[in-house]
Amino acid sequence: MLDTAYRTAYNEDHEAFRDTVRKVLGEHMEPFLDQHEEEGIVPKKAWKALGEAGMLCPTVAEENGGLGLDFGFNCVLAEELAYLGSSAGFTLQNDITVNYFERLGSEEQKAKYLPGMVSGDIITAIAMTEPGTGSDLQGIRTTAIEDGNHLIINGSKTYITNGQNADVVIVVAKTDPAAGAKGTSLVLVDAGTPGFEKGRNLDKIGQHSADTSELFFQDVRVPKTNILGGEGRGFVHLMEELPQERLSIAVSAQGGAQRAFDEAVKFTKDRKAFGSTVFEFQNTKFTLADLKAKLQVGWAHLDWAIARHLRGELTTDEASAAKLWHTEMQWEMVDACLQLHGGAGYMNEYPIARLWRDARVQRIYGGTSEIMKEVVSRSI
């Protein structure tokens, strides 16, 4: 269990919410982690359970069906979910997609989607990445061409989190292919719309319980009122959400790193070798001491970043630096902690194996570590 006694980003309300989160995750998620991994998806009943507990989209305003809380409540859930060892797509909805609906949506769009996103009846995804386009979002090829009062969407997307479960997808498409980034728009496509097909649930190295999919659009016809935000403003809208998206990944990275460390401490204190516990070897103690120091720095920095974001001050380069540092630290942590498990660490029955697998993508999605360095370097 995460030790939050020394945290500075949260108040008593956040910690009371954490108690609720732990109770709900303990009842509706923890007993089913292996099942979710095997099935490659978290069932919608789990989404409903979190929604009923007020754990989905807590920042949504009360008039839109939410609780009107601050982003710190999102961070509490992200930390606890990462510490639990689940890769469920709740944080994508809480920390990323909901902001697009609430900040950019028309009154009709808000009324249609937000209450269901809060309750867990509506699951969302955002479709940016394409088979030939990763971090370079300006290079997307999916089009949404005007046809009277409608748009005709053609193209494909890949690596889409919540892709199988999604009831509605925010599709990044070119409404004016000749205008480059200025011709990009965000278009809502509901599941079941003719021509919109969900491909296979992709077979990933890790994060097996997160449904990650290919999506295909063939002459998908939607009304122009499905544009989310301004037409041709899609790329700008995406850039505006980067600080929170990258902070969210940093939060999860820190929670996962702490769990890996705790697993290594527990294992090395239990395992005997050469007449003593593995923990008593100087190499083990020094390795763990170095890792504990990094965790201490990480939690302090994370609280600084959360506090800045809550004040509306966290910049894109600061959030990018946070994602870079925390995800790289997480990888160092899980790899070292797996090593301390010896051969047992390579066995899937031990939590460290899943923590190690799931951590690898953290340095890739939301912008690779290399892209983070590029973004940070521009601020120097």
Side-chain angles (χ1 to χ4, degrees), residues 25-26 29-31 33 79-86 255 259 351 354-355:
L25 293 182
M29 292 295 294
E30 188 171 11
L33 288 178
E79 289 173 6
E80 293 294 333
L81 197 65
Y83 191 83
L84 180 65
S86 172
R259 175 64 186 277
R354 182 168 66 246
L355 292 164

Side-chain angles (χ1 to χ4, degrees), residues 273-345:
F274 303 105
S276 67
T277 64
V278 173
F279 179 80
E280 291 302 320
F281 299 145
Q282 186 182 69
N283 178 72
T284 303
K285 291 190 289 186
F286 280 17
T287 297
L288 289 171
D290 183 55
L291 297 177
K292 183 175 181 179
K294 288 182 171 65
L295 284 168
Q296 178 177 312
V297 171
W299 285 117
H301 175 263
L302 191 65
D303 280 349
W304 171 87
I306 292 170
R308 277 186 65 76
H309 187 57
L310 291 177
R311 295 193 302 268
E313 298 172 357
L314 190 69
T315 64
T316 297
D317 59 277
E318 289 171 346
S320 299
K323 180 191 183 293
L324 171 65
W325 192 89
H326 286 273
T327 58
E328 291 289 342
M329 183 275 290
Q330 180 190 20
W331 181 248
E332 177 186 355
M333 187 73 58
V334 297
D335 197 56
C337 290
L338 188 149
Q339 187 73 17
L340 289 174
H341 278 69

